[in-house]
Amino acid sequence: MAIIYNLDMRCYEILEQLLYTDEYVSVAQIADEKGLSKRSVYYDIQKINEWLEAQKLPLLEIERKKGIFIAKDQKEQIRRNLKEIPPKLAYTFLPTERVRIIICSVLQRSRQLHIDDFIEMCQVSRNTTIRDLKEATKELAKFQLKLFYENGKGYRIRGDLITKRSVFFLFFNSLADLYKKGALILPEEEKAEDIFGRLKKLEEELHAQYVTGILYSIAAFFSTIKNHSETVEFSENEEQEIKNTKEFQLVLKYFPEFEESEKLYLALHLLGSRTQSLSSDFMQRDTGQEVLRLAKVLVRSFSRIACVTFEKEEELIQAVSAHLKTSLYRYRYGVQLGNPMLDDIKNEYGDLFEITRNAAKSLEKEIGVPIPDGEIAYITLHFGAYISSGERKEEQKLKVLVVCPNGLSTANMIRKEIYTLVPSIQTVDIISLSDYEEDHDYNVVISTIVIENEENLIIVHPILSDSDRISILKKCMKYENQNVMNVMQITALAKKYMTESKLKEFKEELIEYFSDASLKAYTKQNEYGKSICQALDLRHIQIIRESMDWKEAVWAAARSLLEEGYIGQSYIEHMIEKTIKYGPYMFITEEVALLHSEIEDGSYMLGISCTVLKKPVVFKTRDGGERRAKIMLVLSAQDQVSHIKLLNDIMTIFKEDKNTEKLWKCEKTEAVEIMIKELMQGEE
């Protein structure tokens, strides 16, 4: 009966995907989700069917033009049998995973590690392992760490202790699921389980909620702490500050066997890993005010760079402030949470991510340390959740609950997307997994993890994919909204002309059609607008060779947009008034000015103009200094979203001074247009 256990991890995940959807799932959809070929998916389905056959369960059937659908009673049977599968499933590690396994294993150092140990861990050849070791050396060099081999002691990593620990948590977070599923084994598994159990009790006593997976990572790290000879050193003030927290008192209670410095380090991790803000006894009043000030700096920097006005600016500042309370300590002490959503956020919200990264430079300047991309990604979600793309109607009684263990910023972004996808939704509420109760009145429950016995559940990625959006649309269409009324009306008419079986198929295709139509409308609405190559044409490019004062230059730069109805005269007047009031606020580099004002000041359409000033225009600063503009751009927007991509392109072009010079030296408007296209192609 060995065949009973022939499900590998990939088959297991495909089967779970099928179990938690109420619709047909096509082979192409599975292939796209898992990054596989269709041939591989067919092979995996064959293996799943072998397992189902051994379990005496109905096999999966692929219906032509539809895909796979599992009936409700069949799902319950499969779920029961899945629980009996041993946790250790066959798994083939990716090259990046093998490199991270090597690095984390050496950093843990539960014993001497040699090349044969890595061969056994990763189940690859000696030559492949040698290549992986070279890649690990390159990866560590990015953090000023060095992997080396010492005779009689095995592989070791040399460098700053805080950095080494930071790298461990960064990489281990991405491997944690492999350990949990049994594809990898912790060197001190029983000890790690004991520490994890104590950490969960500590979490409960604190009434706190920690970032998903972080307690498991902490348990794995501290399970081998006795093998480490180095310890983190704290100043007297830092030590006292940590000791004054409730976290430290609970560490004393639950981990009395730890050395003093490791108790402090553990408390520090607990302080920096919450999804909520820190406890008030940790943040003194003046420090709290400082964090609030930094949040304002960041939000207003984003607002200035992105040319947006947040309707709920104070609420956003409070949300960012709560995030910074924990993250500032992470930056300072190298506490690394990692962000498993980083690549997804870059892919889905690339333009927003880049603008957030630009805005974060103002924060980096204030605090004196760089902010890692993983943190930029979290902050991106905060900004994305508060950018409004228009009015939302709340006419229907469709209620949705988002249960998200990945933090409020992720949940808020999911909520924003749901409102955009299904404008008729009355309520989208957010709760943590610990607050979820089976007895609720929500029509749809959306979560990034499985919730047992939840009939209305949709499993989604932390960053919604297109298939997630389709699932949400289809589920919501079963409740009262405009599209469902259309489906009901059309099927009522069609009933006269077709059999019951045909009518059922017809209704399913109608729902599919309306879902696809809604998704296309959503995609069009949710895009962050045109690129600079699409938005800027020859009519809005000019080269001015004569001298003029700054007010004349503003009128000249905006004239083409005014004449074609992109903006009104009041928009230009407001730009001039703001410059008089605040000084030359619009400079994005030493010699490039990006002129804009609020939408309500007279901006009607998305547009951009580019003016090359052969005789740079002088702007007086409020302190009596001067700024000279060689290039003036005028931006007009129609909403808070559609100009984001255009802005990101502008930042990309002018981040290097040499690009400003290239454009300034152009003698014809056609040359300016061609140069901008070439600069953007170079970036791609």
Side-chain angles (χ1 to χ4, degrees):
M1 294 296 290
I3 197 169
I4 291 177
Y5 301 126
N6 72 343
L7 275 187
D8 61 25
M9 193 173 292
R10 198 168 71 194
C11 291
Y12 187 95
E13 289 174 351
I14 289 172
L15 193 51
E16 275 212 321
Q17 179 184 354
L18 295 170
L19 288 173
Y20 288 97
T21 181
D22 292 333
E23 308 295 336
Y24 281 91
V25 180
S26 68
V27 170
Q29 190 176 330
I30 296 171
D32 184 54
E33 282 282 311
K34 304 297 180 187
L36 304 170
S37 66
K38 288 184 181 179
R39 184 176 179 179
S40 295
V41 175
Y42 281 115
Y43 177 65
D44 287 340
I45 290 168
Q46 182 182 334
K47 288 197 289 184
I48 291 170
N49 277 336
E50 288 174 359
W51 179 81
L52 290 170
E53 186 177 15
Q55 301 289 323
K56 296 183 172 55
L57 294 173
L59 305 186
L60 300 181
E61 293 183 8
I62 303 173
E63 293 187 38
R64 184 176 172 81
K65 294 185 178 181
K66 289 186 177 181
I68 304 168
F69 177 78
I70 305 178
K72 186 176 179 180
D73 57 343
Q74 188 182 352
K75 285 180 180 179
E76 291 303 319
Q77 293 175 339
I78 294 173
R79 286 191 187 113
R80 282 196 296 270
N81 289 50
L82 274 179
K83 289 178 181 178
E84 298 174 8
I85 293 181
K88 187 169 183 178
L89 302 168
Y91 186 81
T92 302
F93 299 110
L94 299 171
T96 52
E97 289 172 337
R98 296 197 304 268
V99 168
R100 292 176 179 186
I101 289 166
I102 289 170
I103 291 172
C104 289
S105 299
V106 176
L107 286 170
Q108 277 192 294
R109 279 194 64 79
S110 60
R111 57 187 174 86
Q112 292 182 10
L113 291 170
H114 305 274
I115 191 167
D116 289 338
D117 295 302
F118 302 134
I119 291 170
E120 185 180 346
M121 284 180 200
C122 300
Q123 294 295 300
V124 290
S125 68
R126 180 173 291 272
N127 285 340
T128 299
T129 303
I130 291 170
R131 286 197 298 271
D132 290 341
L133 284 164
K134 289 178 180 177
E135 287 301 315
T137 302
K138 290 179 186 177
E139 191 65 35
L140 287 166
K142 296 176 184 177
F143 302 93
Q144 288 76 52
L145 299 176
K146 185 176 181 181
L147 177 68
F148 66 99
Y149 184 81
E150 190 173 351
N151 286 331
K153 294 185 178 179
Y155 282 94
R156 310 186 77 168
I157 293 173
R158 183 185 294 126
D160 176 70
L161 177 60
I162 290 289
T163 304
K164 286 195 285 187
R165 293 189 175 191
S166 177
V167 167
F168 172 83
F169 282 103
L170 175 65
F171 289 157
F172 187 87
N173 288 337
S174 66
L175 301 173
D177 278 346
L178 298 177
Y179 284 97
K180 291 176 184 177
K181 293 174 180 177
L184 289 167
I185 299 173
L186 289 170
E188 299 283 351
E189 196 162 18
E190 287 186 12
K191 197 165 188 178
E193 286 178 7
D194 171 58
I195 292 172
F196 181 71
R198 286 188 271 171
L199 286 170
K200 292 300 289 182
K201 290 178 182 177
L202 187 151
E203 179 185 37
E204 188 176 338
E205 195 165 336
L206 269 176
H207 303 293
Q209 183 183 354
Y210 285 96
V211 174
T212 304
I214 193 62
L215 294 185
Y216 183 82
S217 298
I218 292 173
F221 175 80
F222 279 94
S223 66
T224 61
I225 198 71
K226 284 191 175 180
N227 302 317
H228 301 185
S229 57
E230 298 175 287
T231 57
V232 177
E233 294 183 2
F234 297 91
S235 69
E236 190 175 329
N237 287 339
E238 291 167 345
E239 186 176 321
Q240 193 56 50
E241 192 174 6
I242 296 169
K243 284 184 175 180
N244 287 337
T245 65
K246 188 175 180 181
E247 282 79 358
F248 183 77
Q249 299 307 313
L250 289 174
V251 168
L252 291 178
K253 174 181 175 180
Y254 286 103
F255 300 95
E257 75 276 18
F258 283 8
E259 296 290 335
E260 182 76 0
S261 64
E262 299 306 349
K263 288 175 183 173
L264 289 165
Y265 185 69
L266 174 54
L268 185 62
H269 256 282
L270 296 172
L271 287 162
S273 305
R274 290 186 178 202
T275 58
Q276 313 101 317
S277 59
L278 291 176
S279 51
S280 58
D281 57 349
F282 183 65
M283 278 292 174
Q284 301 297 325
R285 184 170 181 178
D286 57 339
T287 310
Q289 290 300 314
E290 176 63 9
V291 171
L292 189 63
R293 185 187 72 80
L294 292 173
K296 288 179 181 177
V297 167
L298 180 57
V299 170
R300 285 165 188 174
S301 174
F302 181 94
S303 187
R304 177 179 58 80
I305 292 171
C307 305
V308 299
T309 304
F310 292 106
E311 293 177 10
K312 298 180 179 179
E313 185 183 73
E314 285 306 313
E315 186 179 315
L316 173 59
I317 288 170
Q318 290 297 328
V320 173
S321 177
H323 179 83
L324 289 180
K325 276 187 178 182
T326 55
S327 57
L328 285 175
Y329 250 68
R330 291 202 290 270
Y331 309 154
R332 184 177 169 189
Y333 291 104
V335 176
Q336 182 62 260
L337 297 186
N339 189 338
M341 300 179 293
L342 176 59
D343 290 338
D344 288 337
I345 290 169
K346 282 183 174 180
N347 289 334
E348 288 286 322
Y349 311 112
D351 296 311
L352 199 60
F353 177 86
E354 290 301 328
I355 287 179
T356 304
R357 180 150 55 184
N358 270 299
K361 289 176 183 176
S362 61
L363 182 59
E364 290 176 337
K365 188 176 179 181
E366 291 277 347
I367 63 178
V369 293
I371 300 174
D373 278 0
E375 290 289 346
I376 297 291
Y378 280 122
I379 296 168
T380 298
L381 294 183
H382 279 295
F383 287 132
Y386 279 84
I387 290 178
S388 171
S389 57
E391 290 294 316
R392 176 173 51 80
K393 297 178 182 178
E394 295 188 358
E395 299 171 351
Q396 307 298 330
K397 295 183 179 180
L398 177 58
K399 296 178 69 178
V400 174
L401 179 66
V402 178
V403 183
C404 189
N406 290 303
L408 285 178
S409 58
T410 308
N412 279 325
M413 198 65 169
I414 290 174
R415 175 164 60 183
K416 183 205 170 197
E417 287 219 41
I418 293 168
Y419 274 133
T420 309
L421 271 170
V422 192
S424 60
I425 285 178
Q426 182 191 37
T427 304
V428 181
D429 289 331
I430 296 171
I431 62 168
S432 65
L433 182 61
S434 59
D435 292 331
Y436 168 80
E437 295 179 356
E438 286 187 27
D439 186 18
H440 60 74
D441 62 348
Y442 293 93
N443 310 102
V444 178
V445 176
I446 297 172
S447 177
T448 56
I449 59 172
V450 173
I451 301 174
E452 294 287 344
N453 303 320
E454 175 53 65
E455 292 185 359
N456 296 315
L457 181 66
I458 303 174
I459 301 290
V460 299
H461 298 84
I463 302 300
L464 297 184
S465 65
D466 277 348
S467 61
D468 292 334
R469 293 170 185 133
I470 290 170
S471 296
I472 292 169
L473 277 167
K474 288 180 178 178
K475 191 82 170 180
C476 291
M477 282 184 65
K478 292 185 178 180
Y479 300 94
E480 189 177 7
N481 63 50
Q482 185 61 46
N483 282 342
V484 168
M485 290 303 294
N486 288 340
V487 171
M488 290 172 66
Q489 290 163 358
I490 294 168
T491 50
L493 289 171
K495 192 173 183 179
K496 303 174 187 176
Y497 307 102
M498 59 181 70
T499 63
E500 281 296 322
S501 60
K502 288 288 184 184
L503 188 67
K504 185 179 178 182
E505 289 181 22
F506 178 62
K507 185 176 180 180
E508 287 172 355
E509 285 192 27
L510 273 179
I511 291 175
E512 185 88 29
Y513 168 79
F514 280 120
S515 296
D516 289 344
S518 297
L519 183 63
K520 286 173 184 174
Y522 163 81
T523 303
K524 185 177 180 182
Q525 179 181 359
N526 197 48
E527 286 176 348
Y528 288 114
K530 296 179 180 179
S531 67
I532 192 168
C533 296
Q534 294 170 321
L536 179 64
D537 60 38
L538 213 50
R539 303 191 318 276
H540 302 302
I541 300 173
Q542 60 180 326
I543 297 173
I544 297 177
R545 303 179 190 280
E546 61 268 23
S547 298
M548 57 178 60
D549 66 31
W550 71 267
K551 289 183 183 178
E552 291 175 322
V554 171
W555 278 99
R559 186 166 290 115
S560 66
L561 295 178
L562 175 65
E563 289 173 352
E564 294 193 20
Y566 286 80
I567 57 175
Q569 183 172 317
S570 61
Y571 192 74
I572 304 173
E573 291 168 350
H574 274 93
M575 289 192 294
I576 291 172
E577 285 174 13
K578 284 185 176 180
T579 305
I580 294 170
K581 184 175 181 180
Y582 301 112
Y585 67 95
M586 75 295 287
F587 276 79
I588 57 173
T589 72
E590 283 299 312
E591 298 174 317
V592 179
L594 175 61
L595 298 154
H596 62 87
S597 191
E598 274 75 39
I599 295 169
E600 55 268 26
D601 292 338
S603 180
Y604 310 126
M605 292 186 288
L606 176 65
I608 184 77
S609 70
C610 176
T611 302
V612 177
L613 301 156
K614 289 298 181 179
K615 293 184 178 177
V617 171
V618 177
F619 289 80
K620 294 287 184 181
T621 61
R622 298 181 73 183
D623 60 3
E626 291 184 350
R627 300 203 68 170
R628 295 174 180 270
K630 284 186 172 181
I631 295 175
M632 289 175 63
L633 306 165
V634 178
L635 174 71
S636 61
Q638 62 195 35
D639 54 42
Q640 301 278 39
V641 175
S642 58
H643 63 289
I644 295 293
K645 182 170 182 57
L646 177 55
L647 264 176
N648 188 44
D649 287 351
I650 291 169
M651 298 298 173
T652 300
I653 290 172
F654 293 107
K655 67 183 177 183
E656 295 187 30
D657 292 338
K658 65 180 181 181
N659 292 344
T660 303
E661 283 300 305
K662 286 179 181 178
L663 287 166
W664 186 69
K665 287 178 180 178
C666 291
E667 294 298 327
K668 294 183 178 180
T669 55
E670 292 86 354
V672 174
E673 184 181 37
I674 291 168
M675 179 60 69
I676 286 173
K677 288 178 179 177
E678 287 178 355
L679 291 173
M680 288 308 301
Q681 286 171 356
E683 287 296 326
E684 291 169 4

